[in-house]
Amino acid sequence: TLRRKLSAIKQYLSFAKSENWIEVNPAVKITGPKKEFTLPQILSEADVEKLILASYSYGKNKFEISKNAAMLELLYCTGMRVTELVSLLAKPFSINPQFILIKGKGSKERIVPISRPAKNAVKDWLTQKEKLPRIKESKFLFPAKSSSGHMSREVFFRLLKKIAVHANLDASQISP
């Protein structure tokens, strides 16, 4: 970008002045283009409903469908980051909680409420998860065969795009 190129030139000229290769740094008074701040793209309430509804019918089997529904319901009702979602532990959900403790960026913790539809979706997902012994034993709510033991952000991002297409939404406009 222009800003990065300008920064490199200014740093080089600053170095040249400090090494006495030049007497005056001509880049001192140059200002670069301002960074444009754009508002984030948001979905309409109807589009969010379509996306969540599509998660209840997207997947190869009941197992995948219940996992997709639980993930989207939780993401929407809690407002947590994707990394926080995919790394959730399963244990807090075994007692049908009203709130869950989320450990976020910078190891900061916060308590968030869980909506009834999200609780029902997670309950259904845990029932499906119990049917598979290798997955049942995982401490994560959304386990995977990865080194971390849980689904990655990237996998969830791709899944969300597929669910958006299934909901007849423009996938390029959808992000977690």
Side-chain angles (χ1 to χ4, degrees):
T1 66
L2 290 175
R3 290 185 13 209
R4 289 181 76 187
K5 289 177 181 177
L6 180 60
S7 175
I9 291 169
K10 288 176 109 177
Q11 287 297 318
Y12 176 75
L13 291 172
S14 177
F15 174 75
K17 172 129 175 38
S18 69
E19 293 292 316
N20 293 320
W21 295 348
I22 57 176
E23 289 182 27
V24 178
N25 180 352
V28 170
K29 295 183 180 179
I30 298 174
T31 59
K34 299 284 185 211
K35 184 176 180 180
E36 290 184 32
F37 291 101
T38 58
L39 293 174
Q41 296 288 328
I42 59 169
L43 295 175
S44 68
E45 193 173 333
D47 286 347
V48 170
E49 286 178 18
K50 283 172 71 174
L51 191 61
I52 291 174
L53 269 171
S55 72
Y56 282 88
S57 62
Y58 181 78
K60 296 178 204 164
N61 50 40
K62 176 106 174 92
F63 178 82
E64 282 188 10
I65 291 170
S66 64
K67 180 177 72 169
N68 295 342
M71 293 178 85
L72 260 66
E73 286 283 6
L74 275 174
L75 187 68
Y76 181 67
C77 89
T78 61
M80 65 178 106
R81 292 176 177 89
V82 174
T83 303
E84 296 165 349
L85 172 73
V86 296
S87 62
L88 279 174
L89 298 176
K91 191 172 184 175
F93 293 93
S94 63
I95 57 168
N96 195 18
Q98 302 285 58
F99 300 89
I100 56 169
L101 180 69
I102 298 174
K103 191 171 188 175
K105 245 178 158 177
S107 297
K108 291 183 181 174
E109 295 179 339
R110 65 187 187 284
I111 297 174
V112 296
I114 302 177
S115 69
R116 186 177 316 270
K119 278 197 273 187
N120 292 338
V122 170
K123 187 177 179 182
D124 184 45
W125 161 238
L126 288 174
T127 303
Q128 293 299 318
K129 186 181 169 205
E130 285 293 315
K131 294 177 183 176
L132 294 173
R134 64 177 177 78
I135 292 179
K136 176 174 96 170
E137 296 170 7
S138 173
K139 67 179 183 175
F140 294 105
L141 187 59
F142 303 109
K145 294 178 185 177
S146 66
S147 60
S148 64
H150 59 75
M151 180 186 283
S152 71
R153 297 180 313 109
E154 294 80 12
V155 170
F156 178 78
F157 187 77
R158 287 192 301 269
L159 175 65
L160 184 63
K161 296 283 187 181
K162 290 175 185 175
I163 294 171
V165 169
H166 183 70
N168 294 321
L169 296 172
D170 181 6
S172 67
Q173 299 297 312
I174 308 289
S175 72

